[in-house]
Amino acid sequence: GFDPPHQSDTRTIYIANRFPQHGHYVPQKFADNRIISSKYTVWNFVPKNLFEQFRRVANFYFLIIFLVQLMIDTPTSPITSGLPLFFVITVTAIKQGYEDWLRHKADNEVNGAPVYVVRSGGLVKTRSKNIRVGDIVRVAKDETFPVDLVLLSSDRVDGSCHVTTASLDGETNLKTHVAVPETAVLQSVANLDKLVAVIECQQPEADLYRFVGRITVSQQTEEIVRPLGPESLLLRGARLKNTKEIFGVAVYTGMETKMALNYKSKSQKRSAVEKSMNSFLIIYLIILLFEAILSTILKYAWQAEEKWDEPWYNEKTEHERNSSKILRFISDFLAFLVLYNFIIPISLYVTVEMQKFLGSFFIGWDLDLYHEETNQRAQVNTSDLNEELGQVEYVFTDKTGTLTENEMQFRECSINGIKYQEVNGKLTPEGFSEDSPDGNRHSLMKEEELFLKAVCLCHTVQINADQTDGADGPWHANGIASPLEYYASSPDEKALVEAASRVGVVFTGTSGDSMEVKSLGKSERYKLLHVLEFDPNRRRMSVIVESPSGEKLLFTKGAESSILPRSKSGEIDKTRIHVDEFALKGLRTLCVAYRRFTPEEYQEIGKRLHEARTALQQREERLADAFNFIERDLELLGATGVEDKLQEKVQETIEALRLAGIKVWVLTGDKHETAVSVSLSCGHFHRTMNILELVQHKSDSTCAEQLRQLAKRIKEDHVIQHGLVVDGTSLSLALREHEKLFMEVCKNCSAVLCCRMAPLQKAKVVRLLKTSPEKPITLAIGDGANDVSMIQEAHVGIGIMGKEGRQAVRNSDYAIARFKFLSKLLFVHGHFYYIRIATLVQYFFYKNVCFITPQFLYQFFCLFSQQTLYDSVYLTLYNICFTSLPVLIYSLFEQHVHPHVLQSKPVLYRDISKNAHLGFKPFLYWTILGFFHAFVFFYGSYLLMGEDTSLLGNGQMFGNWTFGTLVFTVMVITVTMKMALETHFWTWINHFVTWGSIVFYFIFSLFYGGIIWPFLHTQDMYFVFVQLLSSGSAWFAIILIVVACLFLDVVKKVLYRHLRPTSTEKAQLTEAGSGINCLDSMCCFSDGETACTSVRRMLERLMGRCSPTRVNRSWSSSDPFYANDRSILTLSTMDSPTC
């Protein structure tokens, strides 16, 4: 986020903006309530966008070349580089403008939402962006808060309200907020309008759970000062639940709200491919400078001889004789620079932009990424990162709502040492079938009833206010209720209370200080005496109630590690075994116990609690002591098992990610045990894994010591896999001093789980890995506003369209509806985009080397006089028209392996990891190939046509334009055919543009040279092309040179595929097994075949004699790639042995 510039440490807010009348008041300036996530405005779009575009090496370089062409006399016209540059800049600006417009639209939707504000004694409807600090805002049930508010009053007498902060911190439970008593009584607009009060509070900060302030209420003559804490602050983005309406005063607005401060500012994400591209450009710039300097030096070396310096047919003018040598040298150098400048491909950038923009539509159109129940398609917010999806090495995922559905369901329980399951609304002991004589009992046993009452009384569940009014209405004759709507601060409690009500013990609500329970239809009232709140150190909560018979009872529930040691009776051992069984099934477990108090014990307890609660010093410690004194000598009742339903296919997805060589980290705000049990059930941790823990550290030294021990353990037993569990507090200690050690431990663990994480901590973990020495590519995926900073920090951010609002989706690069779609997004889309763009980039450099090297070689034959080999129209159109479409279409449609194969064999993802296809080796190969082809074009044409001064059809001799055109024709055909060789997946569009490009070149040349155009001031090419094609030897030369260039290429491909096939190439061969056509590649082969056989078979196939049964295409067991990989056994659905 950012720190707003504030003068003082606190802000003073006058409620309803009633400023003091006497003069000493200095108004403070506050931000308005607009949320801004866009990058540009109408005014700064042009300068800011141009600045960003000219930061790119190629664009800046072409701008310089364009200016040079304007200033000095150069061999080619300024249009040759000006036009492509203008085209590139415009296309990019349109694309980025469109994406930013979408962000503006989303912002306007939020900022224009209607809200109600109290102004001059009435409610006024206005827009969210118009709220000012100090306004009193009314929020109704199920609405989200438009600003950070301090609660003034609600529709309840005690001024309390319930809020869910799911979209902020991922917690779906209900939190209770309370107003100070002085304002809680003001429940109408008229009363609030008379309120005179001042709030002083700290300046905005990002911590969601911290708020320090005080409110001074002026009543008649006195001023009452009350403290304000986080319990009276309602955060923007949270939602009001179970309360009809509230009034609150705005304290932080717009970009100063805690939600906005938790955003990271949107930085421009750039993909690894773009970085490779820039380094390649620099290499080519060096080649270019080398060629230009060499040509200039050779020119002067040549001209040192008198006869070449000033031949008889080209005498110098007076001005030329007297001009300075240094200036001449510089202008010559610049002229060569301009002549060769096409070695740097300007249209590369525009093609890449178009490829990314158009290619991103395929993600949205993919029906496999469409979620029917919610009617949601995948969504692309940033198309610049498509190929990064193929490079991911680490996945950071949120747990609640991303891996799980965020819906709890009661599964089983253990009462008094017997396991029960819920069957058709009855508790059935394990082993009882429905029709056994005991199966259809209607009454509950005493222990069962006590257990269920404990579940119904020991909780913080609320009932939807609309339903409690007719509490006796919804009962049926058999005593089963129509379901009440419960709200709870923890989804577990809600699931338990709902389960109890289905089985026959129904919690029907609280009124004042009594709780009402209906057991099998008869109502009982329990008086609530004390609540011992849950806290993470005790890991349990309790209530003390007075039963209808006057007994004082304590009911406790909590984690088994905190209940079982404190229990002295009950079936402790059996329950412990059951709890472990539940946990192994991935259920969230709780134990339930109770204790009866004698009147004397109760008096002692009451006294201790009162003393602790009113203490001013060390209140927390005293309360903890009192709670420990009360919660002992318990009698164990049983345990419950609740399941947080995993989303479908989460296990398979995580397993596939692991096979693809991707490490998965789960970062969650959840409790330690819960997080571990979900990690186990979703396959993130395996049962066989050795789980290491770094939790509950308060000091630096203990944390460091523990880290060292973990590192030692990992070194000692490196055979088994390790999983690491870290919690938020230990993590911040580890990151402060011992970053290196911590990273060392993490990298050696195959799975890491971080629990109890604050939103900005999640982002810190991502940044830590992102900036580690290997610089891995990271991906973060989450669904709530608490994941936004992590999503923005990672290289690729993915939002899940979950139940928790749209914050994550708005700030992500891609949005999908379910976690399981991640595998298709990475293994199929990511793989394709990466292969396509890698080939696109290298091919571009290749075709420009082919294009310019003959120009350089030609200088040796024309005394370095900067004569161009090609006509300037050809220079301009080579990259824009003749060779641009085939590669663009390839980069949109290419599928070198069938999508099903990619998805069923995640191992293929490893083939492209670490930017494998854009490394130095492939780059070198393409560059050398380019130079080789250029030499063949030039010297081939020279040997065949140049020396023996061949005659054209009309008896004329060959001229330099004819020679240049011949080279250019050969080049266009070869370069286009080379793209065709690279293509695996042919559609009619590929055929159309590939052959169409060659045909277009011929037709264009005939028209361009066959007519005298009035607007061209010179027409060197008049009738050249027609005459060239009228010569039989020219046709022979064209065919011979093209075949010579491509023949070696084909041979190399065939040999490599036979002798050293990569796993991707093997996968191309298994495709045939799934009914994909065999003619994907001319290099199909089966075991033990020679190259000739495959060519013969191809010819047979072309002649229609394909006998697919003969081709044996399977992964042989001897494949070295899979020596230690189980993927073939586990995930391959398509290992069909025959073609």
Side-chain angles (χ1 to χ4, degrees):
F2 60 91
D3 293 322
H6 296 299
Q7 298 80 27
S8 64
D9 296 339
T10 61
R11 50 168 65 186
T12 309
I13 296 145
Y14 293 88
I15 292 185
N17 293 321
R18 281 202 189 76
F19 303 119
Q21 302 306 316
H22 13 280
H24 61 264
Y25 168 68
V26 182
Q28 281 177 296
K29 275 200 164 51
F30 302 120
D32 60 10
N33 197 32
R34 281 180 316 171
I35 286 282
I36 302 165
S37 64
S38 55
K39 226 167 68 184
Y40 306 111
T41 62
V42 178
W43 310 116
N44 73 10
F45 177 71
V46 173
K48 200 168 171 183
N49 189 274
L50 285 179
F51 171 72
E52 279 186 359
Q53 293 209 52
F54 282 118
R55 272 170 42 194
R56 287 183 162 169
V57 185
N59 292 355
F60 186 67
Y61 162 79
F62 267 86
L63 183 68
I64 301 283
I65 290 286
F66 178 60
L67 296 175
V68 168
Q69 279 178 306
L70 286 178
M71 286 185 299
I72 66 167
D73 173 29
T74 54
T76 53
S77 96
I79 296 174
T80 53
S81 60
L83 193 71
L85 179 68
F86 176 73
F87 181 56
V88 170
I89 297 289
T90 319
V91 171
T92 312
I94 290 171
K95 170 182 163 273
Q96 292 183 341
Y98 170 71
E99 286 180 355
D100 204 58
W101 174 74
L102 290 179
R103 282 189 214 115
H104 270 283
K105 225 169 78 172
D107 285 347
N108 292 343
E109 214 172 283
V110 174
N111 295 333
V115 291
Y116 288 94
V117 176
V118 178
R119 295 239 168 99
S120 56
L123 268 185
V124 183
K125 185 178 180 177
T126 176
R127 291 194 161 160
S128 167
K129 62 180 177 194
N130 299 331
I131 299 177
R132 297 282 173 265
V133 171
D135 281 346
I136 298 177
V137 183
R138 188 202 82 159
V139 180
K141 183 181 173 186
D142 287 334
E143 287 180 7
T144 50
F145 300 118
V147 288
D148 287 356
L149 300 163
V150 164
L151 179 61
L152 293 177
S153 67
S154 73
D155 63 330
R156 299 206 177 101
V157 191
D158 58 355
S160 66
C161 71
H162 298 285
V163 169
T164 166
T165 55
S167 75
L168 290 170
D169 54 11
E171 295 187 15
T172 43
N173 46 23
L174 284 194
K175 299 187 170 60
T176 308
H177 290 260
V178 286
V180 298
E182 282 71 24
T183 61
V185 295
L186 310 171
Q187 290 179 307
S188 70
V189 176
N191 291 346
L192 278 168
D193 204 43
K194 298 191 189 104
L195 171 69
V196 178
V198 180
I199 293 176
E200 285 169 88
C201 60
Q202 60 186 149
Q203 293 290 12
E205 59 163 16
D207 189 342
L208 292 176
Y209 310 108
R210 208 171 141 226
F211 177 66
V212 183
R214 61 176 182 210
I215 182 168
T216 312
V217 183
S218 313
Q219 288 183 343
Q220 285 94 27
T221 53
E222 56 173 347
E223 291 193 340
I224 300 166
V225 181
R226 295 271 180 184
L228 295 173
E231 73 288 335
S232 36
L233 186 70
L234 306 169
L235 300 179
R236 174 173 190 144
R239 195 175 282 261
L240 183 65
K241 288 278 186 192
N242 205 1
T243 313
K244 283 204 183 69
E245 61 171 21
I246 63 107
F247 289 98
V249 57
V251 285
Y252 305 132
T253 47
M255 298 308 281
E256 292 185 342
T257 54
K258 289 187 181 287
M259 180 178 97
L261 291 177
N262 266 288
Y263 286 171
K264 303 257 330 327
S265 55
K266 245 207 182 340
S267 63
Q268 189 66 32
K269 293 185 180 179
R270 294 170 71 192
S271 67
V273 169
E274 197 174 310
K275 290 169 195 159
S276 308
M277 231 154 71
N278 282 346
S279 46
F280 294 163
L281 273 177
I282 289 165
I283 295 175
Y284 269 67
L285 265 175
I286 294 167
I287 295 177
L288 168 72
L289 290 171
F290 170 73
E291 286 187 354
I293 292 169
L294 186 67
S295 304
T296 318
I297 292 170
L298 287 174
K299 175 177 181 168
Y300 282 95
W302 211 279
Q303 287 181 359
E305 275 184 62
E306 194 59 40
K307 62 172 183 176
W308 293 126
D309 182 34
E310 197 175 345
W312 56 270
Y313 53 82
N314 190 9
E315 290 188 7
K316 292 184 182 176
T317 59
E318 268 313 299
H319 176 66
E320 280 178 339
R321 285 204 179 104
N322 300 332
S323 62
S324 129
K325 282 207 163 166
I326 295 177
L327 275 177
R328 279 214 320 261
F329 187 89
I330 291 173
S331 83
D332 274 333
F333 169 70
L334 288 175
F336 279 119
L337 209 58
V338 168
L339 191 62
Y340 304 148
N341 85 57
F342 285 92
I343 197 168
I344 306 287
I346 174 101
S347 49
L348 168 62
Y349 274 107
V350 76
T351 313
V352 166
E353 291 287 345
M354 284 169 69
Q355 189 263 350
K356 288 180 173 182
F357 183 62
L358 297 170
S360 62
F361 287 111
F362 290 120
I363 293 180
W365 291 335
D366 188 344
L367 286 177
D368 291 341
L369 301 181
Y370 167 75
H371 192 235
E372 230 169 283
E373 292 150 44
T374 51
N375 185 24
Q376 282 164 333
R377 299 185 310 184
Q379 198 174 305
V380 180
N381 300 335
T382 319
S383 56
D384 290 344
L385 300 169
N386 294 341
E387 66 279 2
E388 287 289 76
L389 292 170
Q391 294 294 300
V392 176
E393 292 168 61
Y394 281 88
V395 168
F396 297 93
T397 162
D398 176 39
K399 181 186 73 68
T400 317
T402 305
L403 299 178
T404 64
E405 289 281 16
N406 212 350
E407 286 171 7
M408 304 293 170
Q409 284 171 335
F410 174 79
R411 282 281 172 250
E412 8 189 351
C413 63
S414 152
I415 305 173
N416 209 17
I418 303 167
K419 265 207 284 193
Y420 290 83
Q421 277 161 336
E422 185 191 346
V423 182
N424 302 338
K426 294 194 193 73
L427 267 192
T428 318
E430 222 179 19
F432 276 90
S433 66
E434 269 300 85
D435 42 74
S436 65
D438 260 19
N440 50 11
R441 36 183 205 157
H442 280 301
S443 63
L444 294 163
M445 280 151 53
K446 194 171 116 259
E447 295 94 351
E448 295 170 9
E449 194 176 357
L450 186 60
F451 174 80
L452 291 170
K453 278 183 186 161
V455 168
C456 278
L457 292 169
C458 182
H459 58 67
T460 55
V461 176
Q462 308 286 332
I463 287 188
N464 190 344
D466 311 342
Q467 291 184 322
T468 47
D469 313 337
D472 290 333
W475 293 91
H476 304 318
N478 60 357
I480 303 289
S482 77
L484 291 162
E485 197 184 335
Y486 293 116
Y487 284 108
S489 67
S490 101
D492 303 69
E493 290 190 338
K494 183 177 169 207
L496 290 175
V497 173
E498 281 173 349
S501 77
R502 287 196 297 273
V503 178
V505 179
V506 186
F507 167 62
T508 57
T510 53
S511 52
D513 58 356
S514 65
M515 300 173 85
E516 213 169 298
V517 174
K518 274 205 167 89
S519 174
L520 297 178
K522 63 177 196 296
S523 186
E524 297 179 2
R525 269 211 140 107
Y526 287 82
K527 190 174 176 200
L528 180 61
L529 303 168
H530 296 285
V531 177
L532 281 54
E533 297 84 4
F534 176 86
D535 69 62
N537 297 333
R538 280 179 31 252
R539 309 234 302 272
R540 57 185 179 268
M541 77 153 293
S542 310
V543 293
I544 301 175
V545 294
E546 188 178 329
S547 69
S549 59
E551 259 189 313
K552 307 278 197 299
L553 300 169
L554 166 86
F555 288 113
T556 304
K557 76 166 189 295
E560 82 277 8
S561 56
S562 67
I563 300 281
L564 295 178
R566 306 184 150 269
S567 308
K568 59 164 194 189
S569 57
E571 297 281 354
I572 297 175
D573 295 333
K574 278 188 188 166
T575 308
R576 182 173 279 131
I577 292 167
H578 290 170
V579 166
D580 291 344
E581 285 173 16
F582 293 164
L584 278 176
K585 293 179 185 167
L587 302 181
R588 301 162 66 122
T589 56
L590 287 171
C591 289
V592 183
Y594 84 118
R595 177 183 175 186
R596 288 193 164 85
F597 292 126
T598 61
E600 296 79 39
E601 281 177 324
Y602 178 69
Q603 260 177 334
E604 163 77 359
I605 281 164
K607 198 172 92 208
R608 282 202 173 206
L609 270 179
H610 183 71
E611 277 173 11
R613 284 215 157 113
T614 51
L616 285 174
Q617 264 82 40
Q618 298 175 327
R619 185 182 295 179
E620 277 89 9
E621 289 87 348
R622 289 192 178 197
L623 271 175
D625 292 342
F627 288 175
N628 280 334
F629 174 73
I630 299 167
E631 297 165 327
R632 57 193 178 119
D633 306 335
L634 304 172
E635 192 172 325
L636 188 65
L637 288 168
T640 61
V642 174
E643 179 183 39
D644 183 358
K645 219 167 100 208
L646 281 179
Q647 287 188 17
E648 52 178 339
K649 298 235 171 109
V650 164
Q651 248 170 318
E652 291 90 328
T653 308
I654 288 183
E655 187 52 37
L657 290 173
R658 190 170 286 143
L659 285 173
I662 297 172
K663 289 196 171 178
V664 181
W665 287 38
V666 176
L667 310 179
T668 172
D670 232 326
K671 296 197 283 292
H672 176 184
E673 289 77 27
T674 315
V676 172
S677 78
V678 172
S679 263
L680 283 166
S681 62
C682 73
H684 176 234
F685 282 171
H686 284 307
R687 302 267 162 243
T688 53
M689 251 184 213
N690 177 15
I691 294 180
L692 313 168
E693 293 194 345
L694 179 69
V695 289
Q696 307 254 320
H697 287 290
K698 294 282 187 293
S699 76
D700 217 12
S701 48
T702 58
C703 182
E705 182 48 41
Q706 176 75 5
L707 268 172
R708 282 188 204 100
Q709 281 180 346
L710 294 179
K712 201 165 121 213
R713 272 183 67 183
I714 292 174
K715 280 202 182 75
E716 282 163 6
D717 43 12
H718 49 86
V719 185
I720 40 176
Q721 291 185 316
H722 299 279
L724 176 69
V725 186
V726 192
D727 65 357
T729 46
S730 314
L731 183 82
S732 49
L733 288 171
L735 294 189
R736 208 173 298 153
E737 300 288 325
H738 317 285
E739 221 170 89
K740 276 213 175 103
L741 189 58
F742 178 65
M743 285 307 302
E744 192 60 34
V745 172
C746 288
K747 282 191 185 133
N748 290 318
C749 292
S750 44
V752 181
L753 166 68
C754 305
C755 46
R756 280 273 170 239
M757 302 279 284
L760 282 172
Q761 268 184 321
K762 291 187 177 184
K764 265 197 188 133
V765 172
V766 177
R767 184 176 326 125
L768 179 73
L769 264 155
K770 204 168 101 172
T771 52
S772 64
E774 287 90 86
K775 300 227 178 326
I777 302 291
T778 56
L779 176 146
I781 177 167
D783 66 329
N786 59 321
D787 306 315
V788 167
S789 41
M790 148 174 108
I791 285 174
Q792 289 181 338
E793 181 63 54
H795 291 97
V796 184
I798 296 187
I800 295 250
M801 309 176 195
K803 301 186 169 65
E804 302 190 356
R806 279 277 171 276
Q807 242 70 53
V809 172
R810 275 215 349 254
N811 285 280
S812 61
D813 304 310
Y814 300 90
I816 50 180
R818 282 283 177 276
F819 184 77
K820 64 173 179 183
F821 294 153
L822 188 62
S823 61
K824 170 122 198 215
L825 196 63
L826 298 185
F827 303 154
V828 179
H829 290 289
H831 202 121
F832 283 161
Y833 284 132
Y834 177 71
I835 292 286
R836 289 167 186 168
I837 204 152
T839 310
L840 173 114
V841 170
Q842 321 239 33
Y843 173 76
F844 249 95
F845 284 116
Y846 153 81
K847 75 185 174 93
N848 282 48
V849 169
C850 288
F851 180 40
I852 282 307
T853 310
Q855 178 87 292
F856 172 66
L857 296 174
Y858 183 58
Q859 297 304 309
F860 287 89
F861 291 81
C862 68
L863 281 191
F864 296 94
S865 60
Q866 295 139 13
Q867 168 62 30
T868 98
L869 179 62
Y870 320 115
D871 184 67
S872 62
V873 171
Y874 283 169
L875 276 177
T876 311
L877 294 184
Y878 174 73
N879 273 325
I880 296 182
C881 293
F882 300 146
T883 59
S884 59
L885 276 175
V887 67
L888 178 65
I889 295 302
Y890 167 91
S891 66
L892 287 173
F893 296 132
E894 173 65 1
Q895 301 182 4
H896 60 302
V897 182
H898 195 275
H900 291 312
V901 177
L902 284 179
Q903 213 172 344
S904 60
K905 295 196 166 64
V907 183
L908 297 178
Y909 193 77
R910 297 182 183 203
D911 273 11
I912 59 168
S913 64
K914 301 234 188 306
N915 208 357
H917 288 233
L918 272 178
F920 193 66
K921 268 188 176 166
F923 171 69
L924 203 63
Y925 166 71
W926 280 94
T927 306
I928 290 172
L929 186 73
F931 278 115
F932 166 69
H933 282 184
F935 273 82
V936 176
F937 300 153
F938 186 81
Y939 286 109
S941 305
Y942 183 69
L943 291 171
L944 291 169
M945 308 300 275
E947 279 298 285
D948 62 350
T949 57
S950 287
L951 299 179
L952 296 166
N954 59 0
Q956 279 185 334
M957 311 290 271
F958 241 60
N960 74 320
W961 289 119
T962 324
F963 177 70
T965 310
L966 175 67
V967 172
F968 194 82
T969 308
V970 171
M971 178 168 62
V972 170
I973 296 173
T974 309
V975 165
T976 309
M977 294 294 291
K978 171 69 182 155
M979 188 76 261
L981 280 181
E982 291 299 310
T983 310
H984 278 278
F985 186 75
W986 283 87
T987 61
W988 65 267
I989 308 181
N990 291 78
H991 283 293
F992 179 72
V993 297
T994 303
W995 315 119
S997 286
I998 297 175
V999 172
F1000 171 75
Y1001 164 69
F1002 277 89
I1003 293 174
F1004 172 84
S1005 298
L1006 288 170
F1007 269 90
Y1008 170 60
I1011 299 171
I1012 294 184
W1013 298 101
F1015 51 81
L1016 291 175
H1017 56 95
T1018 61
Q1019 198 155 352
D1020 300 323
M1021 296 297 290
Y1022 182 61
F1023 240 68
V1024 168
F1025 198 72
V1026 184
Q1027 286 183 331
L1028 178 70
L1029 295 188
S1030 66
S1031 152
S1033 49
W1035 280 102
F1036 175 68
I1038 291 174
I1039 292 167
L1040 194 66
I1041 296 170
V1042 171
V1043 170
C1045 282
L1046 295 177
F1047 178 69
L1048 285 174
D1049 221 36
V1050 173
V1051 169
K1052 181 216 155 223
K1053 265 185 158 30
V1054 172
L1055 285 178
Y1056 259 74
R1057 297 197 86 143
H1058 277 261
L1059 304 174
R1060 293 172 48 192
T1062 63
S1063 49
T1064 309
E1065 284 164 355
K1066 292 179 189 173
Q1068 288 169 348
L1069 304 178
T1070 50
E1071 285 174 19
S1074 48
I1076 301 150
N1077 79 21
C1078 290
L1079 243 179
D1080 267 335
S1081 139
M1082 57 184 295
C1083 310
C1084 295
F1085 63 90
S1086 53
D1087 294 340
E1089 277 193 9
T1090 59
C1092 307
T1093 332
S1094 68
V1095 175
R1096 189 192 73 219
R1097 197 175 59 245
M1098 189 184 82
L1099 291 171
E1100 281 181 359
R1101 233 184 255 154
L1102 287 171
M1103 292 149 71
R1105 285 186 296 194
C1106 179
S1107 97
T1109 45
R1110 280 185 24 219
V1111 188
N1112 163 36
R1113 299 186 171 195
S1114 58
W1115 296 68
S1116 67
S1117 50
S1118 59
D1119 282 354
F1121 198 84
Y1122 288 103
N1124 56 356
D1125 217 313
R1126 298 194 309 282
S1127 65
I1128 295 302
L1129 313 173
T1130 52
L1131 279 151
S1132 171
T1133 50
M1134 303 180 16
D1135 281 334
S1136 156
T1138 57
C1139 170

